[in-house]
Amino acid sequence: MARPRKPLLSTDRIVETARALVDAEGLAAVSTRRLAAELGVSGPSLYNHFRTKDEILEAVADSVSAQVDLSMFEDGREWRTALHDWAVSYRAALRDHPNIVPVLAHGPGRRPAALHLADAVYGAMVDAGWPPAQATSIGALMRYFVMGSALGSFARGFPDDASAYDPADYPHLGKAHLLAEQQEKIDERAFETGLAALLDGLAQQYQQVAGNA
């Protein structure tokens, strides 16, 4: 009986395996030796697809950027609605893969999906009437906000031990030990509150832009 054939090594398979490692164990878990073992291949075979570990991590980061929905910039949605819907999709992708955020935070570099994302946001803002310089600032602002929200959980950062909050020292944190158990709801509400405030501020600026035009 013939031996079962191993799945062919491909760029996509390497990236998927590396992404799973990053998700499960963090950036430090990724090495060519570890990846080769996970894939059931020899280490040198990876170099037919990627020259370095950093290239693999860049590809993983771009695979996450590719998960962000950009259709709102193409289907005629008003610019504020489009930015809101995009930010929600962007945050969802980063929330599913938080360990890769430090790589994404370096900027798009030469990553195709990340550059396409930046192009879509900038193009939509310019098409909506924002001056190019302000459209650039909006893209940067949104990126700062969404990535910051994905770097950690506000609610999970508070110990669930009530004794950690002595009323003599922290008179207003009597219920802080309950935050962690409601982490998802609190963090989601904080994100939506901040996003609404950000977009309200941009809408006021947009009125000035429209008036000057």
Side-chain angles (χ1 to χ4, degrees):
M1 180 181 295
R3 292 183 180 179
R5 296 177 61 187
K6 291 182 179 179
L8 292 175
L9 190 60
S10 66
T11 298
D12 287 346
R13 189 166 167 243
I14 294 170
V15 171
E16 289 171 5
T17 303
R19 186 172 61 229
L21 269 179
V22 172
D23 287 345
E25 301 180 34
L27 294 170
V30 179
S31 68
T32 52
R33 178 178 297 181
R34 177 72 183 278
L35 273 176
E38 294 284 335
L39 290 161
V41 300
S42 63
S45 62
L46 296 177
Y47 296 115
N48 293 324
H49 301 271
F50 295 99
R51 292 175 295 179
T52 64
K53 183 185 89 168
D54 286 343
E55 282 192 2
I56 295 172
L57 291 177
E58 288 287 309
V60 170
D62 212 37
S63 74
V64 173
S65 293
Q67 296 175 14
V68 181
D69 183 15
L70 299 177
S71 64
M72 64 284 298
F73 298 122
E74 302 166 355
D75 61 11
R77 266 174 264 189
E78 183 262 342
W79 70 265
R80 175 177 173 150
T81 301
L83 272 185
H84 174 276
D85 295 348
W86 168 71
V88 170
S89 177
Y90 194 7
R91 178 171 178 261
L94 300 189
R95 186 180 55 206
D96 289 344
H97 307 282
N99 292 335
I100 200 64
V101 172
V103 179
L104 287 163
H106 292 159
R110 295 177 180 272
R111 300 192 298 269
L115 288 170
H116 185 57
L117 185 154
D119 180 75
V121 176
Y122 176 79
M125 295 305 100
V126 170
D127 288 346
W130 286 97
Q134 286 177 279
T136 300
S137 296
I138 290 170
L141 170 64
M142 297 298 292
R143 182 169 165 270
Y144 297 152
F145 176 72
V146 175
M147 284 200 177
S149 74
L151 283 173
S153 165
F154 171 83
R156 198 186 301 144
F158 288 83
D160 59 4
D161 178 5
S163 66
Y165 308 98
D166 188 328
D169 295 323
Y170 315 110
H172 306 295
L173 297 181
K175 295 185 178 180
H177 64 287
L178 301 175
L179 290 174
E181 68 184 40
Q182 301 183 57
Q183 173 249 320
E184 185 173 349
K185 180 168 66 176
I186 291 171
D187 290 346
E188 187 69 28
R189 188 169 60 214
F191 176 77
E192 284 291 347
T193 299
L195 182 58
L198 189 156
L199 294 174
D200 283 346
L202 288 177
Q204 291 183 7
Q205 291 186 32
Y206 187 73
Q207 291 179 354
Q208 297 176 354
V209 168
N212 293 336

